Amino acid sequence: MRDPDNVNVRFGNELRKMREARRYTQEEFAQLCGISRAYYGRLERGEHSVTLERCKQIADSLNLTLSDLFINLPD
């Protein structure tokens, strides 16, 4: 079971919200980011700790700053 207080789970939930707000499927968004859909799905589920390099790719794909990806995460 996923721990809702886990930072990876919270980050994944935020990624999902951002992706869905732009009406991308996981597959479409993963392709836009240049990563596999399977890997992206694991990020959204909080099963992986994402690297800063990958965060930059995701932020660029969303037309956001890197810090925008973390704005709703707990301190």
Side-chain angles (χ1 to χ4, degrees):
M1 181 176 227
R2 296 184 321 161
D3 177 2
D5 293 325
N6 179 291
V7 70
N8 291 329
V9 172
R10 286 180 169 221
F11 182 71
N13 288 336
E14 289 303 314
L15 281 180
R16 181 179 299 111
K17 289 176 192 175
M18 291 178 206
R19 174 184 58 79
E20 288 176 345
R22 289 158 177 82
R23 297 189 172 154
Y24 286 117
T25 65
Q26 276 190 352
E27 185 156 344
E28 291 168 336
F29 190 66
Q31 186 174 27
L32 183 66
C33 294
I35 59 179
S36 75
R37 199 240 19 108
Y39 177 75
Y40 182 76
R42 290 191 293 270
L43 291 179
E44 277 197 3
R45 291 189 300 276
E47 296 171 357
H48 276 292
S49 292
V50 67
T51 65
L52 287 174
E53 184 177 322
R54 194 69 71 201
C55 285
K56 178 70 170 126
Q57 284 178 281
I58 292 168
D60 288 348
S61 297
L62 291 167
N63 294 316
L64 298 174
T65 65
L66 189 57
S67 63
D68 288 336
L69 289 182
F70 305 100
I71 198 86
N72 292 319
L73 294 181
D75 292 334

